[in-house]
Structure formats: C-alpha cells, structure tokens
Amino acid sequence: MSKVLARRGRWSAYRIVLLQAAIAGGTSIFFFAFWGAQYGFSALVGGLIAVLPNFVFATLAFSHAGAKASGKVVWSFFLGEAVKLLLTIVLFACAFGLLKTPFMPLFSSYLLALLIPWTAPLYFKQN
C-alpha cells in the first residue's frame, strides 16, 4: 500500500513538472519568435532552472510513504527541499556567471514556471 501511495504522489508531482516544462518551452518559443535566439535561449535556461530542481524534489520527496516510514518521509522531504534550493542557486549562478544570459527572459520564464504548482488545483482533478 505504501508503495502505491508513493507512486501516486510522485506521479502527481511529475505531472506538475511536465506542465512546468511545457510552459517553459512555450515561453522560450515566444521569446525566440519575437526577440531572437539569445532571448529564446535565455528563457529556456530560466525554465530549466525552475523545472530541474522541482523534478529532483519530486523524485526525492516521494521516495518513501506509509506510517511505518514516517521518519523517512519527513527526512526525504527535507532532503528534497534542501537539494532543490542548492540546485536552484547553482543553476542561477551558472546562468549569470557562465552563460551571461539576459535577465528579463530568464526571470520571466522562471517565474511563469514557478507559478504552475501554485495554480495546479485549477487544472488537475483531485481523486
């Protein structure tokens, strides 16, 4: 039963991550179409900065489930959140330090992808 719960939670989180990736891709196509390749790439990087840490969090946070593993569940959420935060910092540092990407499309795409989990109840039916 606990593996079923973990799998269900992981799949729900992965659906949100897939929607974030779709929004990030659409945003990068929008910036590419209107402002060129550099802005499109910057928006793609911003979307990846939002999507990759959330994917890692979903994988780590939903690795355990059940009452017997309650300590592991809490620990996996804390570990997932810590890794997500560190990965986000590293990816932003790489984007601004190594890639020298424009700020506006990167941050716009990042914010749009970041809004998806907050609005998830609007477009995902809960069972």
Side-chain angles (χ1 to χ4, degrees), residues 46-66:
L48 287 176
I49 291 173
V51 170
L52 288 177
N54 282 331
F55 176 76
V56 170
F57 172 76
T59 303
L60 291 174
F62 294 103
S63 59
H64 302 287

Side-chain angles (χ1 to χ4, degrees), residues 9-56:
R10 191 178 309 119
W11 175 241
S12 294
Y14 285 163
R15 286 189 344 195
I16 292 173
V17 170
L18 283 173
L19 186 60
Q20 281 182 311
I23 294 296
T27 305
S28 65
I29 289 171
F30 174 79
F31 276 103
F32 177 78
F34 286 100
W35 289 285
Q38 184 181 14
Y39 276 46
F41 177 71
S42 179
L44 182 65
V45 170
L48 287 176
I49 291 173
V51 170
L52 288 177
N54 282 331
F55 176 76
V56 170

Side-chain angles (χ1 to χ4, degrees), residues 17-113:
V17 170
L18 283 173
L19 186 60
Q20 281 182 311
I23 294 296
T27 305
S28 65
I29 289 171
F30 174 79
F31 276 103
F32 177 78
F34 286 100
W35 289 285
Q38 184 181 14
Y39 276 46
F41 177 71
S42 179
L44 182 65
V45 170
L48 287 176
I49 291 173
V51 170
L52 288 177
N54 282 331
F55 176 76
V56 170
F57 172 76
T59 303
L60 291 174
F62 294 103
S63 59
H64 302 287
K68 289 184 180 179
S70 62
K72 290 181 181 178
V73 170
V74 171
W75 176 250
S76 64
F77 267 85
F78 281 129
L79 178 66
E81 191 62 35
V83 170
K84 177 181 166 182
L85 182 63
L86 289 174
L87 187 58
T88 303
I89 291 169
V90 167
L91 290 175
F92 265 120
C94 289
F96 290 126
L98 299 176
L99 298 177
K100 308 263 192 259
T101 57
F103 177 75
M104 192 266 301
L106 184 136
F107 204 63
S108 298
S109 180
Y110 176 75
L111 284 179
L112 281 174

